[in-house]
Amino acid sequence: MSTTRNQLIELLENNQQEYISGQQLCERLNISRTAVWKHMKELEKDGYRIVAVPKRGYRIIEFPDKLSKNTLQWGLQTSWLGRNIVHYPEISSTQKIGHQLALEGAAEGTVIIADQQTEGKGRMGRKWHSAKNEGIWMSIILRPQIIPQLAPQITLMTAVILAKAIETVTEVSPAIKWPNDIFINNRKTAGILTEMQAEQDEIQYIVLGIGINVNQSRDNLPEDIQKIATSIKQESGKQWRLVPLIQEIFIQFEQKYETFLQKGFTDIKEEWEMYGYKIGEQVRISSNKLTYPAKLIGLETDGALKVQKQDGSTESIYSAEILW
């Protein structure tokens, strides 16, 4: 969003109880009355309700919940994440556009977000149901200066961020199912898809996909996933505004990502274990055609899942099917 548009919204926000004249806006923003009027029309397209009264000026009477570059960036307290936002009312997949933009040199922190995806995807090629205005469907471009082997830690970090943001905004208690799913009351609410372009010792870019079911009712979910998926609305009994939740994710992400790059994975590991789904409980591990019971202990320092077998020995799981 232009600096002028941002300043205009801030001026209107700070004067909600009274009108601010067109002349004042011209002087404060150093633009013409015609430019002020054009900015107002653009804000109205985004869903802001603005009253204009001759000889008194302008006043915002309602802020929108619709997603747009303007609504997401207004009041956003981040330095680099979300400073470039590409929004689509409908798109096949935010991941696809993320890869295209990353290859074209898009800056780190660029966000691709959509009201609806027609070909949303999860891990291992699974389809992700992404209905219009019912959830958060977005991808973030990252360019971390770490070796490719550490990329899975970014997935685990993102899971912590989503859990904390959901808990902060909605007061619902989520859990993280290793490695990348957010559960509420034993059903999936959000997922993370991490895709990267890398050489042997260098990551060129990561496209981090995030899907969160926010306002779906049970009947709005596909019948084949109604027993295993849920939404924040279903679990809280309330409809939620998307913009505050997205902004909280951005704030949490910027802080944790910078800490991760500076200090490593240790602090994130501890937070992840606090949210870990079924930590301390027995599950069944299926790997290399063998299935065996094991107790979930936590994470290893590299992000692998640590389990304890029935004979007391421990094992680090990097890739396996866990029968929860």
Side-chain angles (χ1 to χ4, degrees):
M1 176 170 48
S2 70
T3 301
T4 300
R5 186 85 47 83
N6 200 9
Q7 290 174 342
L8 173 59
I9 297 173
E10 186 172 354
L11 286 169
L12 293 168
E13 161 71 5
N14 292 336
N15 291 273
Q16 284 188 68
Q17 304 305 316
E18 57 188 32
Y19 289 87
I20 181 167
S21 72
Q23 184 60 37
Q24 285 178 289
L25 292 173
C26 291
E27 293 172 357
R28 296 286 295 275
L29 301 173
N30 195 28
I31 59 176
S32 67
R33 282 182 176 270
T34 301
V36 168
W37 181 83
K38 288 181 177 179
H39 278 296
M40 293 296 182
K41 291 302 176 184
E42 289 300 312
L43 292 178
E44 287 176 345
K45 289 179 183 178
D46 278 335
Y48 291 88
R49 289 186 61 198
I50 299 171
V51 174
V53 177
K55 298 183 179 181
R56 297 188 68 183
Y58 299 93
R59 184 165 71 91
I60 284 183
I61 60 173
E62 185 176 328
F63 290 84
D65 188 36
K66 70 176 289 188
L67 300 185
S68 73
K69 186 176 180 180
N70 286 337
T71 59
L72 288 169
Q73 289 183 329
W74 180 79
L76 179 61
Q77 301 298 312
T78 60
S79 298
W80 52 268
L81 179 55
R83 290 298 141 192
N84 181 29
I85 292 177
V86 183
H87 169 258
Y88 295 89
E90 182 179 303
I91 197 174
S92 60
S93 164
T94 61
Q95 287 292 97
K96 288 183 180 179
I97 298 299
H99 282 284
Q100 292 174 16
L101 294 179
L103 289 169
E104 293 169 3
E108 183 169 54
T110 295
V111 175
I112 304 93
I113 191 164
D115 298 335
Q116 180 177 9
Q117 294 183 114
T118 57
E119 299 175 18
K121 62 177 181 177
R123 290 176 68 237
M124 296 183 285
R126 297 190 181 104
K127 184 177 180 179
W128 187 279
H129 183 68
S130 313
K132 186 174 181 179
N133 300 326
E134 292 187 342
I136 297 170
W137 328 121
M138 66 180 177
S139 298
I140 301 171
I141 295 174
L142 301 173
R143 299 185 183 276
Q145 295 184 6
I146 58 175
I147 59 175
Q149 290 83 349
L150 296 181
Q153 295 180 355
I154 290 181
T155 302
L156 297 166
M157 175 197 73
T158 304
V160 171
I161 290 162
L162 297 188
K164 287 183 72 70
I166 290 170
E167 188 173 45
T168 298
V169 173
T170 71
E171 298 183 357
V172 171
S173 298
I176 304 171
K177 183 171 78 68
W178 186 84
N180 69 331
D181 291 337
I182 305 299
F183 269 37
I184 301 175
N185 292 332
N186 297 306
R187 291 190 291 172
K188 184 172 179 176
T189 309
I192 301 158
L193 177 62
T194 305
E195 298 176 326
M196 72 175 174
Q197 184 74 27
E199 298 178 359
Q200 185 173 357
D201 58 353
E202 181 183 21
I203 294 175
Q204 295 175 346
Y205 68 81
I206 287 174
V207 180
L208 183 70
I210 294 171
I212 307 175
N213 295 337
V214 180
N215 286 322
Q216 292 95 333
S217 63
R218 188 173 187 274
D219 292 340
N220 286 350
L221 291 170
E223 188 174 348
D224 60 332
I225 65 170
Q226 287 181 3
K227 292 183 179 180
I228 60 173
T230 188
S231 70
I232 298 173
K233 176 183 175 180
Q234 287 184 59
E235 301 305 323
S236 67
K238 293 173 59 178
Q239 187 93 3
W240 294 96
R241 294 181 60 214
L242 300 181
V243 170
L245 180 53
I246 294 168
Q247 290 185 333
E248 181 65 23
I249 291 169
F250 289 172
I251 292 168
Q252 295 269 2
F253 195 103
E254 186 171 283
Q255 294 172 348
K256 287 210 174 338
Y257 181 71
E258 290 177 353
T259 300
F260 166 70
L261 294 181
Q262 293 169 7
K263 299 182 179 180
F265 186 65
T266 302
D267 290 346
I268 293 165
K269 170 185 177 297
E270 293 177 359
E271 286 190 277
W272 191 100
E273 290 174 335
M274 291 173 60
Y275 287 104
Y277 181 65
K278 293 199 173 183
I279 295 295
E281 297 184 28
Q282 291 281 339
V283 297
R284 295 183 67 80
I285 309 293
S286 181
S287 178
N288 297 323
K289 299 182 179 180
L290 294 175
T291 300
Y292 57 92
K295 182 180 180 180
L296 299 185
I297 303 299
L299 293 182
E300 299 284 10
T301 55
D302 62 357
L305 184 65
K306 185 176 182 180
V307 302
Q308 184 180 55
K309 297 181 177 181
Q310 287 189 314
D311 62 5
S313 64
T314 60
E315 183 177 2
S316 299
I317 304 295
Y318 290 90
S319 178
E321 182 180 2
I322 301 175
L323 308 176
W324 301 92

